[in-house]
Structures are given as structure tokens and as C-alpha cells.
């Protein structure tokens, strides 16, 4: 197939590596000339350009720009497209993107390859990034069945595990397992640094070990990404924050009223219920 990739960064570049390895011809488009040059040097794409007209003959296009630019990119791209081309995206939140993009282009299929690293840009692109990782496809009633099938086959060829659900279900699920943990982890760090007693704070910082490292990791990540999650997935995130607040209140109540049996029952339940999330 002839495949277009717009936005040659971590995700776009990594897709280029693997889809090219599968034998497809990859046409990359990025904003900077220097990125296009580097993408060719690294073997991420066969051709690269800063102009959308280079994509006029491709069969499918992956839009891999930052999330806020996906629908804008599609709008700018339309004059250069052949009518039957499939457009997909890789944005980490689906409802707002799918709603906007399917109004712009009939043959649009939302997607989210759930793999990444803390790095960004063309130098961060790597081979086999999507192997054994989930790839969520988010069709609606309007989505063409054959296009879903083609995207599914491409995702499988990357070694990904394909899941299909509505954009809304996707956004609620990722709010629970990805966006809420960032906010909880950030709140943990923010609460600790509010400790007024400097001696306590200093000692806590020196004693902090693997438990704190695990629970604070995602709260210490890229602030732009955290804001993006909240901005684009506001409703779903608020729903999870409310659920979390209720659980914290419940635990505070158990401790305050010394309901040790209730606390133990809760912790026994969470010990048992954790494994389906991580296995
Ligand atoms: P990234 O490494 O910053 O890559 C984005 C690339 O887009 C940049 O390298 C930039 O290339 C290019 N770009 C920016 N504006 C552009 C424009 N107007 N036209 C064409 N290219 C443009 O970011 P990323 O992590 O790959 O994220 C890209 C998308 O993947 C986002 O929508 C994100 O939600 C999604 N995603 C990210 C992850 C993750 O863990 N990072 C995981 C799954 C999905 P230049 O160098 O040319 O400026």
C-alpha cells in the first residue's frame, strides 16, 4: 500500500519504521524541512515533504500531529486528497477528534495506538514500539466497514493487539487508567510539598523509596501532556475524579472513626481487584 504519515515525531516516525518494514511505501509530511531530511536519513519513510500535495496518490493517511492540530490538519489536507483515501489519526483522546473529523471527511476512522515513551520528535522514533501494545479503533455508525478492516490489519501487522469500541467508551476507559492516575500522582506530590515543617519534608524526601517512586512517576511527567488530557477529555476525567474523591472520603472516614475492619475489607478487595488491570 501507499501510506501517508503526517507529523514525523515519536508516534508518526515509529509507525513509519514498522509499516515500511512490512513492505509499504511510506510518504511522510512534517512541518520542518529538517525533520523530513532526518526521517529519510533514519529510514523512517521513503519520501518526505513539508507539502500535503505529496500525499495525493496514497491509499491511507495517519495524522500523527499533536492532538490540538489533528482536525485542523485534516481540513488543510482535503484539497489534496483523492476521494477514496482512508484518513485515520493516533490522538490519545477520541470523541472530540472523531466528531470533528468525520464531519470533514466521510472515510475517517479514529485510532489510538497505546504505546509511547517520555521522548518526543523524530529522534525518539523507534522500531517495534507498538508490538504487544493495544491499538484501539473507535468507529461510529458512519465509519465504513472496509476501512475499519484495513486499519485493523495494519495495526495487527505492527504486532499490536486490536480493540474496537466507541470513541466515548475509549475516552472513559483511558480516563480511568491513564488520565486519572496522572492527576492522582500529581496531587500526591503537590500534597507532600505543602508540608509546612521543613525538617519533616527534608527527611521525607531522603526516605522516599520505591513506593513513592511508583506512585509519583506519572505525576512528574510532561505538564503539557497532562493539560492536554484534561482539556480534551474533561467530562470523562471529571467523572473519574469524582469517583476517586468519594473513595478518599470513605477511607478518611474509616480512619477518623477507627473502623479498622472496614478499612481492612476495603484493602482486601483492592488487593484482589488489582490484577485484572495489570495482567
Ligand atoms: P511528537 O513526538 O511531538 O510528534 C509530533 C510531530 O508532529 C512533531 O515532531 C512535529 O514535527 C509534527 N508537527 C507538528 N505540527 C505539525 C503540523 N502542523 N503539520 C505537520 N507536522 C506537524 O508527538 P507524539 O508523541 O508523536 O504525539 C503525536 C500524536 O500521537 C498526538 O496526537 C498524541 O495524542 C498521540 N499519541 C501520543 C502518545 C505518546 O505516548 N507520546 C501515545 C499515543 C498517541 P516537526 O519536527 O516537523 O515540527
Amino acid at each position: 500500500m501507499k501510506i501517508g504519515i503526517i507529523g514525523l515525531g515519536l508516534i508518526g516516525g515509529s509507525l513509519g519504521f514498522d509499516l515500511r518494514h512490512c513492505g509499504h511505501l511510506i510518504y511522510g509530511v512534517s512541518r520542518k524541512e529538517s525533520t523530513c531530511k532526518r526521517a529519510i536519513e533514519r529510514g523512517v519513510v521513503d519520501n518526505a515533504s513539508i507539502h500535503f500535495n505529496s500525499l495525493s496518490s496514497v491509499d491511507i493517511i495517519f495524522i500523527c500531529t499533536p492532538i490540538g492540530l489533528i482536525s485542523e490538519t485534516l481540513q488543510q489536507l482535503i484539497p489534496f486528497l483523492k476521494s477514496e483515501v482512508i484518513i485515520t489519526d493516533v490522538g490519545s483522546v477520541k470523541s472530540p477528534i472523531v466528531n470533528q473529523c468525520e464531519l470533514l471527511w466521510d472515510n475517517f476512522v479514529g485510532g489510538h495506538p497505546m504505546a509511547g515513551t517520555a521522548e518526543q520528535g523524530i529522534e525518539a522514533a523507534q522500531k517495534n514500539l507498538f508490538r504487544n501494545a493495544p491499538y484501539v479503533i473507535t468507529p461510529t455508525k458512519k465509519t465504513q466497514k472496509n476501512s475499519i478492516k484495513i486499519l485493523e490489519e495494519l495495526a495487527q501487522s505492527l504486532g499490536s493487539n486490536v480493540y474496537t469500541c466507541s470513541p466515548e467508551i475509549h475516552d472513559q476507559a483511558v480516563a480511568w487508567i491513564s488520565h486519572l492516575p496522572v492527576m492522582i500522582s500529581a496531587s500526591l506530590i503537590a500534597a507532600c510539598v505543602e508540608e509546612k515543617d521543613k525538617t519533616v519534608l527534608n527527611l521525607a524526601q531522603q526516605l522516599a523509596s520505591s513506593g513513592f517512586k511508583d506512585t509519583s512517576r506519572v505525576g512528574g511527567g510532561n505538564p503539557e501532556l497532562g493539560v492536554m488530557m484534561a482539556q480534551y477529555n474533561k467530562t470523562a476525567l471529571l467523572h473519574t475524579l469524582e469517583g476517586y474523591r468519594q473513595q478518599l472520603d470513605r477511607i478518611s472516614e474509616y480512619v477518623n472513626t477507627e473502623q479498622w475492619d472496614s478499612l481492612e475489607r476495603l484493602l482486601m478487595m483492592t488487593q484482589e481487584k488489582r490484577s485484572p488491570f495489570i495482567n
Side-chain angles (χ1 to χ4, degrees), residues 77-94:
L77 182 63
I78 286 173
F80 306 98
L81 298 178
K82 60 178 184 183
S83 59
E84 64 276 23
V85 65
I86 303 168
I87 309 283
T88 185
D89 76 305
V90 296
S92 316
V93 176
K94 300 282 27 119

Side-chain angles (χ1 to χ4, degrees), residues 9-173:
L10 167 68
I11 300 296
S14 302
L15 276 173
F17 264 137
D18 292 353
L19 291 171
R20 195 165 177 241
H21 182 76
C22 292
H24 302 291
L25 200 56
I26 310 298
Y27 293 72
V29 170
S30 215
R31 186 178 43 173
K32 295 191 206 132
E33 288 275 13
S34 55
T35 301
C36 294
K37 188 166 168 272
R38 200 56 196 124
I40 292 175
E41 279 169 7
R42 291 201 65 201
V44 161
V45 293
D46 295 281
N47 303 281
S49 164
I50 57 167
H51 300 295
F52 290 140
N53 61 8
S54 61
L55 300 177
S56 58
S57 69
V58 301
D59 306 300
I60 180 167
I61 297 175
F62 288 77
I63 303 181
C64 305
T65 59
I67 200 163
L69 293 174
I70 292 173
S71 59
E72 192 183 312
T73 300
L74 174 54
Q75 202 153 23
Q76 291 164 4
L77 182 63
I78 286 173
F80 306 98
L81 298 178
K82 60 178 184 183
S83 59
E84 64 276 23
V85 65
I86 303 168
I87 309 283
T88 185
D89 76 305
V90 296
S92 316
V93 176
K94 300 282 27 119
S95 302
I97 294 175
V98 173
N99 289 344
Q100 288 168 13
C101 290
E102 67 178 14
L103 285 179
L104 293 169
W105 192 253
D106 276 345
N107 201 354
F108 179 84
V109 193
H112 180 199
M114 295 187 65
T117 68
E119 309 301 318
Q120 286 185 297
I122 184 65
E123 298 304 334
Q126 57 178 260
K127 293 173 185 159
N128 297 320
L129 181 67
F130 309 103
R131 188 164 293 281
N132 298 322
Y135 198 121
V136 189
I137 299 177
T138 59
T140 67
K141 284 188 195 121
K142 272 183 74 177
T143 316
Q144 297 181 23
K145 298 274 177 300
N146 194 44
S147 305
I148 301 171
K149 190 165 166 274
I150 290 171
L151 182 58
E152 212 170 70
E153 284 168 5
L154 286 172
Q156 278 161 354
S157 74
L158 301 169
S160 296
N161 304 317
V162 178
Y163 298 85
T164 304
C165 65
S166 71
E168 295 75 22
I169 295 284
H170 165 277
D171 290 352
Q172 193 59 71

Side-chain angles (χ1 to χ4, degrees), residues 84-275:
E84 64 276 23
V85 65
I86 303 168
I87 309 283
T88 185
D89 76 305
V90 296
S92 316
V93 176
K94 300 282 27 119
S95 302
I97 294 175
V98 173
N99 289 344
Q100 288 168 13
C101 290
E102 67 178 14
L103 285 179
L104 293 169
W105 192 253
D106 276 345
N107 201 354
F108 179 84
V109 193
H112 180 199
M114 295 187 65
T117 68
E119 309 301 318
Q120 286 185 297
I122 184 65
E123 298 304 334
Q126 57 178 260
K127 293 173 185 159
N128 297 320
L129 181 67
F130 309 103
R131 188 164 293 281
N132 298 322
Y135 198 121
V136 189
I137 299 177
T138 59
T140 67
K141 284 188 195 121
K142 272 183 74 177
T143 316
Q144 297 181 23
K145 298 274 177 300
N146 194 44
S147 305
I148 301 171
K149 190 165 166 274
I150 290 171
L151 182 58
E152 212 170 70
E153 284 168 5
L154 286 172
Q156 278 161 354
S157 74
L158 301 169
S160 296
N161 304 317
V162 178
Y163 298 85
T164 304
C165 65
S166 71
E168 295 75 22
I169 295 284
H170 165 277
D171 290 352
Q172 193 59 71
V174 297
W176 280 117
I177 54 87
S178 174
H179 304 170
L180 177 65
V182 169
M183 303 307 157
I184 294 172
S185 175
S187 313
L188 169 67
I189 301 168
C192 288
V193 298
E194 284 289 304
E195 169 59 54
K196 296 282 181 290
D197 187 328
K198 292 282 175 249
T199 312
V200 172
L201 180 59
N202 281 339
L203 185 63
Q205 285 168 339
Q206 283 162 40
L207 297 180
S209 182
S210 55
F212 192 84
K213 221 179 212 172
D214 289 347
T215 47
S216 66
R217 185 177 65 80
V218 292
N222 182 345
E224 264 176 54
L225 279 182
V227 174
M228 179 278 294
M229 292 166 179
Q231 234 178 333
Y232 287 90
N233 206 15
K234 179 180 160 189
T235 310
L237 177 60
L238 281 175
H239 173 72
T240 61
L241 281 167
E242 185 48 38
Y244 183 66
R245 191 195 310 275
Q246 285 172 15
Q247 293 302 327
L248 262 189
D249 287 346
R250 187 171 159 196
I251 289 176
S252 288
E253 176 67 13
Y254 289 163
V255 175
N256 189 34
T257 55
E258 302 189 358
Q259 293 185 59
W260 309 128
D261 287 349
S262 302
L263 182 62
E264 188 179 6
R265 273 198 298 277
L266 176 75
L267 294 176
M268 280 165 63
M269 183 277 286
T270 58
Q271 184 182 48
E272 186 196 324
K273 300 285 183 189
R274 179 172 180 254
S275 63

